[in-house]
């Protein structure tokens, strides 16, 4: 683990909390250059954009590509609060990201370690260095608290406007 990993993952967690405040699933992502410069950051916007692909990682990849003028993000590190899904993991490989640092595993949809091993699969032509479990408890709590509150809303329907359902 690089000494900068916690710093940038804390920023991703801030972005996740911002997503939660908007009623989105609280996931944040930050993309950092080899020199330590933030190239892009994003949080989930699937509800606001009416777009199932508007995951934090995908939005950050798009913004980073635009910012550097290249679809290849070689030498970069992606920080995500939660283990990326299959769509996001595939996009990270296609973007040629060097490192992925994530907080908590996603036992249902995680495709880096939990369900699949897409980011460092020997059958692919690019493999990503993976660092898992940075700020794991904090990142896990973000998700657990969000979904716990969502279940509570179902018991108290007058709070539905919080989630824009």
């Amino acid at each position: 683990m690089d000494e900068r990993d916690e710093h940038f993952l804390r920023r991703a967690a801030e972005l996740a909390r911002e997503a939660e405040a908007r009623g989105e699933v609280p996931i944040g992502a930050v993309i950092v250059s080899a020199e330590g410069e933030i190239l892009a950051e994003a949080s989930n916007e699937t509800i606001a954009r009416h777009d199932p692909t508007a995951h934090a990682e995908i939005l950050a990849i798009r913004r980073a590509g635009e910012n550097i003028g290249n679809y290849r993000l070689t030498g970069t590190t992606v920080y995500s609060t939660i283990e990326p899904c299959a769509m996001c993991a595939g996009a990270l490989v296609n973007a040629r990201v060097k490192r992925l640092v994530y907080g908590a595993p996603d036992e249902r949809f995680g495709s880096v370690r939990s369900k699949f091993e897409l980011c460092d699969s020997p059958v692919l032509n690019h493999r990503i260095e993976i660092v898992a479990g940075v700020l794991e408890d904090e990142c896990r709590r973000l998700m657990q608290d969000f979904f716990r509150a969502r279940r509570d809303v179902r018991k108290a329907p007058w709070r539905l406007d919080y989630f824009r359902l």
Side-chain angles (χ1 to χ4, degrees), residues 1-7 9 79 99 101 129-135:
M1 178 173 72
D2 185 291
E3 63 273 356
R4 301 179 300 177
D5 291 347
E6 278 193 25
H7 170 75
L9 202 52
Y79 296 89
R99 292 177 74 231
V101 178
E129 176 188 335
I130 299 163
V131 179
V134 176
L135 303 178

Side-chain angles (χ1 to χ4, degrees), residues 1 18 30 36 42 59 67 76 79 102 112 135 143 145 149-150:
M1 178 173 72
E18 291 172 13
V30 176
L59 295 174
N67 288 340
T76 62
Y79 296 89
Y102 68 88
V112 177
L135 303 178
M143 294 293 279
D145 290 350
R150 193 166 177 150

Side-chain angles (χ1 to χ4, degrees), residues 76-143:
T76 62
T77 299
V78 172
Y79 296 89
S80 180
T81 53
I82 300 298
E83 177 184 6
C85 69
M87 174 182 68
C88 295
L92 295 171
V93 171
N94 283 319
R96 304 298 194 267
V97 166
K98 180 179 180 180
R99 292 177 74 231
L100 167 65
V101 178
Y102 68 88
D106 182 347
E107 300 300 329
R108 290 185 65 203
F109 300 107
S111 297
V112 177
R113 289 286 182 259
S114 295
K115 296 293 181 194
F116 306 104
E117 294 183 355
L118 292 179
C119 289
D120 60 353
S121 171
V123 301
L124 299 175
N125 65 337
H126 178 73
R127 288 167 198 78
I128 298 173
E129 176 188 335
I130 299 163
V131 179
V134 176
L135 303 178
E136 182 174 347
D137 292 339
E138 179 182 341
C139 293
R140 179 182 291 113
R141 264 192 313 278
L142 282 168
M143 294 293 279

